[in-house]
Amino acid sequence: MKKRIIAALLCIGMITTLVVGCGNNSSSDSDDSDSSKTADDASEETPEPEEETAKGAIQSGTVTFNIDMSQYEKGKTVRVWVPVAQTNDYQTIEDVEFDANGVDAEINEDALGNQMLYVEWDADAEPESRTASLSFHVVRPEILRPELVEEGTVDADLDEYLKASSTIPVDGEVKELADEITKDETTYLGKARAIYDWIIANMNRDESVVGCGKGDVCVLLETKGGKCTDINSVFVGLCRSTGIPAREMFGVRINDADITGNQHCWAEFYLPGTGWVAADPADVLKAVLKNEWDKESDEAKEMQEYYWGNCDEKRVELSRGRDITLSPEQSAEALNNFGYPYAEVDGEAVDYYSPDTFVYSISFAEDN
């Protein structure tokens, strides 16, 4: 308890110095009406900026993953990777614990720095033994928008945040659109804001998309609709194609006791002279849809300003990056992202959206 109090005090001191941003505590972004772990959390209300926001709130508590792979018959090799949150500029993680029911398990790190619990049950394992749990304590402060000062240019050490991925191209029609959107802007900040505002004006949240979406930017430029990974991938792709470093974080909202279906993706862009700054147009568009707001309404515009540089306290980051190769390496293709637990049975990937093939839960116990 003493360690947690100290961590909380340290996080309070961090609030005025950190440079980042994300969304407020809007509801879950993982959707599948047939699955309790991917259904949008209907009980969660879309937040509005309140007086508490200006004070810098703090959320803290224990996140627990429970995995159950007992439904597969004996004779199959079952492998599971569970994302493990890490302490960074925006959150403090302590008391990481795991239990694999007597089977050897380990925490590994991939080439991008993401950590994960790895558990493997060989073909001789009894089906009922294939359970595991992982827990950690998180202290997460709300991050308030800093003064946005632009000085100098982007350093070469940020080149990785300008590159394309399998779902985020930075040339062709993506660059053409970015150039059109930013044609009247000459600064990094002006271009990033123009892209942010364009996305909110021209895209919409699509409730029919499974999970958080795939973030396939070329498809999204046609459909103009999706979930958080979709919408924020467009922001990242447009920023990168115009020379602004940008990245996504994948995590889960810590806003309820059962957070199994509360995965969320948020974004940042890099402003030389300031650092990493938040932009979460996906949460703006979710608030617009859930509250049936007109995009030009005062409420929507207020939300649009909040998500430009602020990040609420009710989320924990689990991983970063796209096209993920796990550690040890998975048998199937690279992961689009690592925001969900991942499993393979006899080398075949298991659908983490399906409760019939992959049983797991994520819970959050808020500190009293």
Side-chain angles (χ1 to χ4, degrees):
M1 178 61 70
K2 182 177 179 182
K3 291 171 65 179
R4 294 180 183 175
I5 294 173
I6 293 173
L9 291 174
L10 289 173
C11 286
I12 294 172
M14 290 162 51
I15 292 171
T16 58
T17 60
L18 297 181
V19 181
V20 66
C22 307
N24 207 344
N25 59 321
S26 56
S27 58
S28 101
D29 274 284
S30 185
D31 282 276
D32 183 345
S33 60
D34 295 327
S35 170
S36 62
K37 69 164 169 280
T38 59
D40 220 347
D41 187 357
S43 66
E44 183 187 356
E45 297 179 358
T46 304
E48 297 183 36
E50 299 176 351
E51 290 185 3
E52 183 182 18
T53 298
K55 300 176 183 178
I58 292 178
Q59 179 75 310
S60 65
T62 299
V63 175
T64 301
F65 290 78
N66 283 299
I67 309 293
D68 184 349
M69 303 298 288
S70 62
Q71 67 272 38
Y72 294 97
E73 62 187 20
K74 188 173 181 178
K76 296 182 179 294
T77 298
V78 178
R79 308 166 75 198
V80 172
W81 295 256
V82 183
V84 179
Q86 301 179 66
T87 294
N88 57 34
D89 287 342
Y90 318 134
Q91 61 193 31
T92 299
I93 305 298
E94 294 183 316
D95 302 332
V96 177
E97 299 179 354
F98 57 87
D99 182 358
N101 198 18
V103 175
D104 288 339
E106 58 189 11
I107 292 181
N108 298 327
E109 185 171 295
D110 68 14
L112 298 178
N114 298 311
Q115 291 190 353
M116 63 209 69
L117 173 67
Y118 175 69
V119 186
E120 180 174 337
W121 292 273
D122 63 27
D124 294 329
E126 296 297 331
E128 61 270 19
S129 72
R130 297 197 208 102
T131 61
S133 65
L134 164 75
S135 66
F136 54 82
H137 184 266
V138 56
V139 177
R140 177 88 189 194
E142 177 187 23
I143 308 305
L144 304 180
R145 180 172 57 230
E147 180 182 0
L148 300 179
V149 177
E150 182 171 330
E151 295 177 351
T153 57
V154 172
D155 294 333
D157 60 0
L158 293 169
D159 283 353
E160 66 178 294
Y161 302 109
L162 294 170
K163 295 178 180 178
S165 71
S166 63
T167 56
I168 304 179
V170 296
D171 56 6
E173 62 179 324
V174 179
K175 179 166 176 52
E176 290 176 8
L177 177 58
D179 289 344
E180 175 62 26
I181 293 169
T182 62
K183 64 182 179 182
D184 296 326
E185 304 296 337
T186 59
T187 65
Y188 292 106
L189 183 59
K191 291 178 180 180
R193 182 61 196 241
I195 291 168
Y196 176 80
D197 289 342
W198 182 90
I199 289 174
I200 292 169
N202 291 276
M203 297 190 71
N204 294 287
R205 179 176 169 88
D206 182 353
E207 293 286 348
S208 69
V209 171
V210 175
C212 293
K214 296 180 179 179
D216 189 332
V217 173
C218 288
V219 172
L220 292 161
L221 293 184
E222 295 294 327
T223 65
K224 301 291 196 304
K227 292 281 188 65
C228 58
T229 300
D230 296 321
I231 294 166
N232 288 330
S233 290
V234 174
F235 176 79
V236 169
L238 291 172
C239 281
R240 289 181 178 182
S241 67
T242 195
I244 303 171
R247 65 188 183 186
E248 293 163 294
M249 281 67 67
F250 297 88
V252 62
R253 301 186 196 268
I254 46 176
N255 55 5
D256 204 349
D258 181 5
I259 57 173
T260 311
N262 286 19
Q263 285 81 6
H264 184 50
C265 162
W266 57 101
E268 296 176 324
F269 70 95
Y270 188 84
L271 181 64
T274 299
W276 289 103
V277 181
D280 194 349
D283 262 357
V284 179
L285 292 174
K286 182 168 190 176
V288 166
L289 177 67
K290 296 296 185 181
N291 292 289
E292 299 183 348
W293 290 337
D294 185 285
K295 289 182 181 180
E296 297 302 316
S297 68
D298 291 343
E299 296 88 348
K301 290 300 182 182
E302 186 177 5
M303 191 68 69
Q304 188 167 342
E305 287 306 310
Y306 179 82
Y307 284 122
W308 176 252
N310 295 294
C311 181
D312 74 90
E313 76 284 2
K314 293 190 175 182
R315 63 184 67 197
V316 57
E317 178 186 322
L318 299 175
S319 69
R320 297 183 186 181
R322 307 292 284 270
D323 301 331
I324 303 289
T325 299
L326 301 171
S327 178
E329 184 173 352
Q330 69 271 33
S331 298
E333 62 186 12
L335 301 187
N336 186 322
N337 64 73
F338 191 35
Y340 295 79
Y342 174 77
E344 293 182 345
V345 176
D346 282 348
E348 296 293 325
V350 178
D351 183 0
Y352 44 71
Y353 292 131
S354 172
D356 296 327
T357 58
F358 193 176
V359 178
Y360 68 85
S361 65
I362 313 173
S363 62
F364 177 67
E366 185 175 354
D367 290 340
N368 295 324

